[in-house]
Amino acid sequence: MDRDLWSGLAVFAAIVEAGSFARAATRLGLSASALSHAMRTLEAKLGTRLLDRTTRSLAPTQAGADLLLSLRPAMAAVDDALGALDSTRARPTGRVRVNAHRPAAMHVVLPRLPGFAAAYPDVAVELVVDDGLVDIVAGRFDCGVRHEGEVQRDMISVRISDAVPLAFVAAPAYLAARAPPEAPDDLGRHCCLCYRYTSSGTIHVWEFAKDEHRFARTVPGSFVTNDVDLMRDAAVSALGVACLPRPCVDRQIESGALVEVLCGWAPVLPPNQLYYPSRRQPTAAFRAFVEALRI
């Protein structure tokens, strides 16, 4: 195969995956102008336009989308071949791309990276925060991190955290003006801070657990966001009651910036799982990363 053509196809796939020339250039270690030149050369050789570009957006044309769909199995095969070669090296090297929801990225993955970096200095980790459900194969991620039960089928999964308790919290300043809620029925008299899922666009329905009884209920949302850190900060700013993973608010509870309410009603989320395609040959770097996160 024409080496320039293969190189251009790889650049095309990287641009679509990254969503922009600038981000693709950063990942590939090239200039945006070099990528633009490569795309012009590729489109000229193929005699068809592969990308629709404006100053604000980028998307593959229908011909480009069809080509990319055909290319992905071949690129996966190349990744597998390189993974097999990498496994023969004495010292893992390369890059591991991870897609994780924010609480897991901050409180599960990030705390283990210093030890991993010290043990494997030649392995770079790219941690992409995404609270939606994503296709890690199409996004060319090595793995994803989601709660147990959210993992895609036909994936290999590894447990990387214990179950995650939730907490209902509010700021002392907010509670100074009203009686704190003691049961779910009390929330009708309160301002609630709600989370909107990025992928589906739906609002998170709050769950409650008492003894063996567990149920869900829609709460009156006075503030809605798609970012758990912003929701925590909104709670600290006395905007209302929030339901958040306990690790996200431990520090604020300890400092007194937030107070737990509805004590005894908070449910527990399933453990976090690291997952990856069963058909892909893992590199030595990726195997080391998995073992560093496994519990």
Side-chain angles (χ1 to χ4, degrees), residues 5-236:
L5 182 60
W6 176 253
S7 176
L9 291 172
V11 165
F12 166 58
I15 292 169
V16 174
E17 174 194 327
S20 77
F21 277 79
R23 285 192 292 270
T26 299
R27 290 179 184 177
L28 296 175
L30 300 170
S31 67
S33 60
L35 265 60
S36 183
H37 175 73
M39 278 305 306
R40 287 196 300 271
T41 301
L42 176 64
E43 289 174 329
K45 283 189 174 184
L46 297 179
T48 187
R49 193 175 78 258
L50 300 177
L51 290 174
D52 281 329
R53 287 161 277 182
T54 69
T55 55
R56 294 188 176 182
S57 66
L58 177 151
T61 62
Q62 186 58 55
D66 292 342
L67 176 61
L68 192 58
L69 187 64
S70 300
L71 282 175
R72 278 178 175 146
M75 290 181 168
V78 171
D79 287 342
D80 288 346
L82 293 176
L85 175 63
D86 181 72
S87 65
T88 64
R89 293 174 176 155
R91 185 169 180 169
T93 185
R95 179 178 297 272
V96 177
R97 297 192 70 228
V98 187
N99 185 295
H101 63 94
R102 184 176 296 278
M106 292 295 297
H107 303 288
V108 179
V109 180
L110 185 60
R112 300 182 197 177
L113 291 186
F116 179 77
Y120 302 100
D122 296 328
V123 179
V125 176
E126 180 179 348
L127 179 56
V128 175
V129 175
D130 190 336
D131 289 335
L133 297 178
V134 300
D135 184 339
I136 61 171
V137 176
R140 296 182 65 78
F141 291 99
D142 293 294
C143 62
V145 177
R146 294 295 183 274
H147 287 291
E148 187 178 86
E150 298 177 344
V151 174
Q152 298 164 324
R153 292 182 179 181
D154 74 4
M155 293 281 174
I156 297 173
S157 60
V158 176
R159 182 173 170 174
I160 62 172
S161 83
D162 293 324
V164 182
L166 292 175
F168 299 105
V169 294
Y174 172 82
L175 297 174
R178 52 188 64 78
E182 297 181 354
D185 288 344
D186 297 338
L187 291 172
R189 300 188 297 272
H190 283 269
C191 300
C192 296
L193 315 181
C194 296
Y195 178 84
R196 186 183 296 278
Y197 291 102
T198 303
S199 297
S200 65
T202 58
I203 300 292
H204 171 241
V205 177
W206 287 19
E207 292 190 346
F208 307 91
K210 191 78 166 180
D211 300 323
E212 299 300 318
H213 185 44
R214 184 166 180 150
F215 61 96
R217 180 173 298 175
T218 301
V219 297
S222 60
F223 176 81
V224 179
T225 180
N226 66 342
D227 186 279
V228 291
D229 288 349
L230 185 59
M231 182 159 39
R232 179 200 59 215
D233 293 346
V236 171

Side-chain angles (χ1 to χ4, degrees), residues 165-172 232 236 242 244-261 263:
L166 292 175
F168 299 105
V169 294
R232 179 200 59 215
V236 171
L244 288 160
R246 180 64 191 245
C248 294
V249 293
D250 271 337
R251 188 175 302 172
Q252 287 73 24
I253 292 173
E254 184 178 348
S255 70
L258 291 173
V259 176
E260 279 197 82
V261 297
C263 295

